[in-house]
Each structure stands twice: as structure tokens, then as C-alpha cells.
Amino acid sequence: MTDLLPAPGLTGLLLGTTPPGVYRLPPSDTTPRVVSLAAEADWRGATLHLGGVTTKTAFLARCATDLEFPEWFGRNWDALADCLTDLSWWREEGKARGYLVLAEEWTAFRKASPKDARTAEAIFGDAVDYWAEAETPLAVLLG
């Protein structure tokens, strides 16, 4: 099970005092607040809307849409890992201080498809580790 985002919470993550990771979002944080704070801190963020998602196929389709994956995304676990360790498809003009994925309704997805959620969480973790030492880290929040 992924740990709760430690104190000082989202602010620490965005300022670099909390290391990037895959964290559970504290219940007191809302999607609009997370998106707003990330933008203010010059992080490129995306919300993965998992409401109603109960299968691997639906999860990967939602990733493709919500994370704006490139056309070459193969809709399998390896392709998810490839997209999350590349991020060239996600870079905009200007430089982001970091990348943030907020997976809304993660708990419901995990309950509906525990094996797929464990696999996705492991892929998120590997991607976070890949970017941890980069100038622009990746963090994932599971809401």
C-alpha cells in the first residue's frame, strides 16, 4: 500500500522538500487545489479520472485520453511504462519544474481491479524512480 503524502504535504512535494514518489493524496486535498498549486509551482500536471474504471482495458484507455498519450501508445502495460519514462509527448513550450499525475478515484479502481491497480502502481513507481534524479521529476498522487 502506498503511503500518505507526508508533511508538509503537497507544498513540500512541489517545492522539492518532499522527494517525488507515488503517494496517497490526503483526503483534505481536492483536485482543484492540487491542480492550482501545481500550476503555481510551474509543474505540468494532469488528472487521470478513474471514476467508473474497473478493468485494465478501461484504465489504459483513460490514461491515453486523460494523460494525452501519443498515437503510438500501445494500450498495454509496457506502453504505459514507455510513455511515463519518455514524457517527450507531454512537454510544452517552456520548462516545467516537474510533472504530476493525479489519479482521482484510485481507491474505487483498486477495489474493482486489485491486480491491475497493483501493476499500474508499480509502473507509476518505476517511472517516478526513473525521473527522481532528473531536473524535472515525476510524482503521482493517488486520490
Side-chain angles (χ1 to χ4, degrees), residues 5-15 24-43 45 47 100 102 104 141:
L5 184 60
L10 184 59
T11 303
L13 179 67
L14 298 173
L15 293 177
R24 284 185 295 129
L25 186 66
S28 60
D29 279 325
T30 63
T31 298
R33 179 177 184 273
V34 170
V35 170
S36 175
L37 288 175
E40 288 172 18
D42 294 326
W43 279 57
T47 304
L100 178 69
L102 170 58
E104 287 184 320
L141 299 176

Side-chain angles (χ1 to χ4, degrees), residues 12-71:
L13 179 67
L14 298 173
L15 293 177
T17 57
T18 299
V22 179
Y23 298 109
R24 284 185 295 129
L25 186 66
S28 60
D29 279 325
T30 63
T31 298
R33 179 177 184 273
V34 170
V35 170
S36 175
L37 288 175
E40 288 172 18
D42 294 326
W43 279 57
R44 168 75 158 95
T47 304
L48 179 58
H49 304 279
L50 296 178
V53 173
T54 60
T55 65
K56 170 186 173 182
T57 300
F59 176 82
L60 292 170
R62 193 63 56 89
C63 285
T65 302
D66 290 354
L67 303 181
E68 302 175 4
F69 282 169
E71 289 284 323

Side-chain angles (χ1 to χ4, degrees), residues 88-106:
S88 63
W89 51 270
W90 207 15
R91 294 188 178 117
E92 297 175 343
E93 285 189 31
K95 189 167 186 167
R97 291 187 58 226
Y99 299 98
L100 178 69
V101 174
L102 170 58
E104 287 184 320
E105 299 194 40
W106 179 262

